[in-house]
Amino acid sequence: MNQTTKYPLDTQHLQQGLTLLQKRQRRLAFLALLSSTVGIVSLITAFMQQDIVLGLFGLSLDIQQLHIPYAVDEQLREFIHHPDYLMNAFSWLAWLLLKVVVSFIGAFFIVGFLKRFKYFLFKFQSFVLKFVAWLLAFIVLWSGVTYVQYDLKDDEKSETASFIQYDQSIQQSEIYAYLQQTDTPDAVKDYLLVQTALLHKPEDKTIAKVYAEKLLNDEKIDPRFQEYGFKSEQIWAIQHQVYGHSVSNIAKTVDPQINKAVFWSNIAQNILWVITALSLFISLLIYFLAHRIKQRLIRIDQQIFH
């Protein structure tokens, strides 16, 4: 006499209980994936958050884009876009959201598609293998969207890069030749050329220091210096990249903003580390519970039908 005939069971009630356990196991598995995703995104953001926070304050620790002051005529300004660190930060956040949504949802579609094949259907009976496949799909999709993001950014910068590019000497650059043919004030020329040297790959520190010194002197002797439309945050970044600290009065006015941004950056980093640790711990805990429920379902199935 088998187990079923010895102990009559309410089949409908048992089936409802099994269905409930299966739903609970799937729900926990989904929550484990979701928690893992939050942990991974938080971990990635923790290493990049300083640039994001500084961008929200309209700041940058180094020269990332060429800033064109208002004193330069429109003909040159057509070649080069103004840097907008705030918009860059919002753009980065938008791309981050897009990458999370595409990677998270797309990974489920990929795993679902693979389950149509018998080989993967058999392999994915193990939650661990299914999670590994989902994680690999997530990484591939994330990498794909990231490639598109930076490919578009490279297209936007290519025209500007060619305008300031040079091989051995800054005199070889188009921007230097252009400035020599115009009546642009010396302070503006020095402001543009020091940025050009710092944007050079590799960074041309020697030439940058020459024009940074000229720019410091211009600030002292040119009474119209503050009328040219220079960006104080850009001057701060120039001096910190060249000297390692603020030198001129204009740059020193940015120090309180930097200190405030660094303060919030440290807080954001600590929060992200906490979120990462909690998310990974919770995902492991939920995975353990889901695994226990799955093992329980297997034992129940064996006891009933075997």
Side-chain angles (χ1 to χ4, degrees), residues 2 8 30 43 68 109 120 133 149 170 229 237 265:
N2 60 27
F30 174 78
L43 181 62
I68 306 299
F109 279 103
F120 290 106
Q149 175 188 2
I170 197 170
S265 173

PDB file of all heavy atoms in Angstrom, residues 2 8 30 43 68 109 120 133 149 170 229 237 265:
ATOM      1  N   ASN A   2       0.685   2.104  -0.987  1.00  0.00           N
ATOM      2  CA  ASN A   2       1.535   3.291  -1.066  1.00  0.00           C
ATOM      3  C   ASN A   2       1.021   4.403  -0.164  1.00  0.00           C
ATOM      4  O   ASN A   2      -0.018   4.282   0.473  1.00  0.00           O
ATOM      5  CB  ASN A   2       1.646   3.782  -2.518  1.00  0.00           C
ATOM      6  CG  ASN A   2       0.285   4.150  -3.090  1.00  0.00           C
ATOM      7  OD1 ASN A   2      -0.622   4.511  -2.354  1.00  0.00           O
ATOM      8  ND2 ASN A   2       0.160   4.052  -4.412  1.00  0.00           N
ATOM      9  N   PRO A   8      -5.622   8.926   2.731  1.00  0.00           N
ATOM     10  CA  PRO A   8      -6.391   9.629   1.707  1.00  0.00           C
ATOM     11  C   PRO A   8      -6.177  11.138   1.824  1.00  0.00           C
ATOM     12  O   PRO A   8      -6.155  11.701   2.906  1.00  0.00           O
ATOM     13  CB  PRO A   8      -7.845   9.253   2.030  1.00  0.00           C
ATOM     14  CG  PRO A   8      -7.749   8.010   2.867  1.00  0.00           C
ATOM     15  CD  PRO A   8      -6.462   8.110   3.621  1.00  0.00           C
ATOM     16  N   PHE A  30      12.131  36.190  -8.015  1.00  0.00           N
ATOM     17  CA  PHE A  30      12.106  37.499  -8.690  1.00  0.00           C
ATOM     18  C   PHE A  30      12.648  38.587  -7.772  1.00  0.00           C
ATOM     19  O   PHE A  30      13.425  39.452  -8.211  1.00  0.00           O
ATOM     20  CB  PHE A  30      10.672  37.832  -9.109  1.00  0.00           C
ATOM     21  CG  PHE A  30      10.513  39.211  -9.686  1.00  0.00           C
ATOM     22  CD1 PHE A  30      10.889  39.477 -10.999  1.00  0.00           C
ATOM     23  CD2 PHE A  30      10.011  40.244  -8.911  1.00  0.00           C
ATOM     24  CE1 PHE A  30      10.763  40.753 -11.531  1.00  0.00           C
ATOM     25  CE2 PHE A  30       9.878  41.521  -9.427  1.00  0.00           C
ATOM     26  CZ  PHE A  30      10.258  41.770 -10.751  1.00  0.00           C
ATOM     27  N   LEU A  43      26.527  49.452  -6.620  1.00  0.00           N
ATOM     28  CA  LEU A  43      27.974  49.261  -6.592  1.00  0.00           C
ATOM     29  C   LEU A  43      28.656  50.036  -7.713  1.00  0.00           C
ATOM     30  O   LEU A  43      29.677  50.704  -7.500  1.00  0.00           O
ATOM     31  CB  LEU A  43      28.301  47.769  -6.714  1.00  0.00           C
ATOM     32  CG  LEU A  43      29.780  47.378  -6.677  1.00  0.00           C
ATOM     33  CD1 LEU A  43      30.387  47.766  -5.332  1.00  0.00           C
ATOM     34  CD2 LEU A  43      29.951  45.891  -6.939  1.00  0.00           C
ATOM     35  N   ILE A  68      33.870  78.071 -24.115  1.00  0.00           N
ATOM     36  CA  ILE A  68      34.084  79.244 -24.959  1.00  0.00           C
ATOM     37  C   ILE A  68      33.463  80.458 -24.279  1.00  0.00           C
ATOM     38  O   ILE A  68      32.247  80.510 -24.083  1.00  0.00           O
ATOM     39  CB  ILE A  68      33.438  79.062 -26.353  1.00  0.00           C
ATOM     40  CG1 ILE A  68      33.921  77.772 -26.999  1.00  0.00           C
ATOM     41  CG2 ILE A  68      33.759  80.267 -27.236  1.00  0.00           C
ATOM     42  CD1 ILE A  68      35.403  77.713 -27.231  1.00  0.00           C
ATOM     43  N   PHE A 109      13.589  38.473 -20.961  1.00  0.00           N
ATOM     44  CA  PHE A 109      13.183  38.055 -22.301  1.00  0.00           C
ATOM     45  C   PHE A 109      14.186  37.066 -22.895  1.00  0.00           C
ATOM     46  O   PHE A 109      13.807  36.077 -23.537  1.00  0.00           O
ATOM     47  CB  PHE A 109      13.037  39.266 -23.226  1.00  0.00           C
ATOM     48  CG  PHE A 109      11.735  40.000 -23.067  1.00  0.00           C
ATOM     49  CD1 PHE A 109      11.675  41.206 -22.376  1.00  0.00           C
ATOM     50  CD2 PHE A 109      10.568  39.488 -23.597  1.00  0.00           C
ATOM     51  CE1 PHE A 109      10.474  41.879 -22.229  1.00  0.00           C
ATOM     52  CE2 PHE A 109       9.351  40.152 -23.455  1.00  0.00           C
ATOM     53  CZ  PHE A 109       9.306  41.355 -22.760  1.00  0.00           C
ATOM     54  N   PHE A 120      18.376  24.249 -22.742  1.00  0.00           N
ATOM     55  CA  PHE A 120      18.323  25.293 -21.724  1.00  0.00           C
ATOM     56  C   PHE A 120      17.148  25.091 -20.767  1.00  0.00           C
ATOM     57  O   PHE A 120      17.244  25.427 -19.586  1.00  0.00           O
ATOM     58  CB  PHE A 120      18.229  26.668 -22.387  1.00  0.00           C
ATOM     59  CG  PHE A 120      19.487  27.086 -23.093  1.00  0.00           C
ATOM     60  CD1 PHE A 120      19.564  27.071 -24.481  1.00  0.00           C
ATOM     61  CD2 PHE A 120      20.597  27.480 -22.375  1.00  0.00           C
ATOM     62  CE1 PHE A 120      20.721  27.454 -25.128  1.00  0.00           C
ATOM     63  CE2 PHE A 120      21.763  27.866 -23.010  1.00  0.00           C
ATOM     64  CZ  PHE A 120      21.835  27.841 -24.396  1.00  0.00           C
ATOM     65  N   ALA A 133      22.524  32.737 -15.972  1.00  0.00           N
ATOM     66  CA  ALA A 133      22.161  33.099 -17.349  1.00  0.00           C
ATOM     67  C   ALA A 133      21.538  34.490 -17.386  1.00  0.00           C
ATOM     68  O   ALA A 133      21.844  35.299 -18.274  1.00  0.00           O
ATOM     69  CB  ALA A 133      21.186  32.066 -17.909  1.00  0.00           C
ATOM     70  N   GLN A 149      25.825  54.555 -25.820  1.00  0.00           N
ATOM     71  CA  GLN A 149      25.935  55.842 -25.124  1.00  0.00           C
ATOM     72  C   GLN A 149      27.232  56.552 -25.472  1.00  0.00           C
ATOM     73  O   GLN A 149      27.231  57.731 -25.849  1.00  0.00           O
ATOM     74  CB  GLN A 149      25.859  55.615 -23.613  1.00  0.00           C
ATOM     75  CG  GLN A 149      26.091  56.878 -22.792  1.00  0.00           C
ATOM     76  CD  GLN A 149      26.201  56.575 -21.308  1.00  0.00           C
ATOM     77  OE1 GLN A 149      26.142  55.423 -20.887  1.00  0.00           O
ATOM     78  NE2 GLN A 149      26.373  57.608 -20.510  1.00  0.00           N
ATOM     79  N   ILE A 170      51.277  72.783 -29.781  1.00  0.00           N
ATOM     80  CA  ILE A 170      49.943  73.386 -29.787  1.00  0.00           C
ATOM     81  C   ILE A 170      49.760  74.321 -30.973  1.00  0.00           C
ATOM     82  O   ILE A 170      48.640  74.588 -31.409  1.00  0.00           O
ATOM     83  CB  ILE A 170      49.684  74.122 -28.451  1.00  0.00           C
ATOM     84  CG1 ILE A 170      48.183  74.390 -28.270  1.00  0.00           C
ATOM     85  CG2 ILE A 170      50.492  75.413 -28.383  1.00  0.00           C
ATOM     86  CD1 ILE A 170      47.811  74.901 -26.895  1.00  0.00           C
ATOM     87  N   GLY A 229      33.570  86.769 -19.824  1.00  0.00           N
ATOM     88  CA  GLY A 229      32.663  85.629 -19.720  1.00  0.00           C
ATOM     89  C   GLY A 229      33.349  84.331 -19.335  1.00  0.00           C
ATOM     90  O   GLY A 229      32.850  83.238 -19.660  1.00  0.00           O
ATOM     91  N   ALA A 237      39.105  74.461 -12.128  1.00  0.00           N
ATOM     92  CA  ALA A 237      39.542  73.151 -12.626  1.00  0.00           C
ATOM     93  C   ALA A 237      40.922  73.256 -13.286  1.00  0.00           C
ATOM     94  O   ALA A 237      41.768  72.371 -13.119  1.00  0.00           O
ATOM     95  CB  ALA A 237      38.517  72.602 -13.612  1.00  0.00           C
ATOM     96  N   SER A 265      28.985  64.343  -1.728  1.00  0.00           N
ATOM     97  CA  SER A 265      29.504  63.173  -2.432  1.00  0.00           C
ATOM     98  C   SER A 265      29.862  62.070  -1.450  1.00  0.00           C
ATOM     99  O   SER A 265      29.580  60.884  -1.693  1.00  0.00           O
ATOM    100  CB  SER A 265      30.731  63.569  -3.255  1.00  0.00           C
ATOM    101  OG  SER A 265      31.342  62.421  -3.825  1.00  0.00           O
TER     102      SER A 265
END
